[in-house]
Amino acid sequence: MVLGIVFKMVEGGAFIGIFIPGVIVGYLVNNGYKNGAKNGIITGIIGGFILGILIYITIDFNLPPFPNVIYYIFVFALFTAAISAILDAVGGIIGSIIRDKI
């Protein structure tokens, strides 16, 4: 999550910041690529939801009125969590393959 916020300064940096924790989690889990992908998905959902909330609040300066802002933040966070889960699943597979090769 922190990497996603830091790398957000460059073009496509948030995706890099989402992908790297998936590789790390896949590397730390040493039971094959299936477990790497499962743990990457879990990491992606949790980290992506938090990152989606933080990115929406920091990027959108014209927030809608109070009842609607909660809905927009929640939908954006769910969308970010879904994208993050996919990227972290791929990262988890890559991390577990790196672990198996070493």
Side-chain angles (χ1 to χ4, degrees):
M1 176 179 75
V2 174
L3 290 173
I5 294 171
V6 170
F7 286 147
K8 153 176 111 160
M9 293 181 275
V10 295
E11 186 70 30
F15 290 115
I16 295 169
I18 291 170
F19 181 73
I20 290 173
V23 174
I24 293 171
V25 167
Y27 182 78
L28 294 176
V29 176
N30 56 0
N31 292 333
Y33 67 93
K34 289 182 183 178
N35 285 334
K38 289 177 190 176
N39 288 312
I41 289 172
I42 293 169
T43 302
I45 290 173
I46 294 170
F49 191 79
I50 296 169
L51 182 67
I53 292 171
L54 294 176
I55 286 178
Y56 187 82
I57 290 173
T58 58
I59 287 178
D60 194 13
F61 298 112
N62 297 324
L63 293 173
F66 178 69
N68 294 333
V69 72
I70 302 297
Y71 172 74
Y72 289 127
I73 290 173
F74 185 72
V75 169
F76 187 77
L78 285 179
F79 177 73
T80 307
I83 298 298
S84 177
I86 295 168
L87 287 173
D88 279 349
V90 173
I93 292 170
I94 291 172
S96 64
I97 290 172
I98 291 171
R99 174 75 178 231
D100 289 340
K101 297 293 181 184
I102 294 178

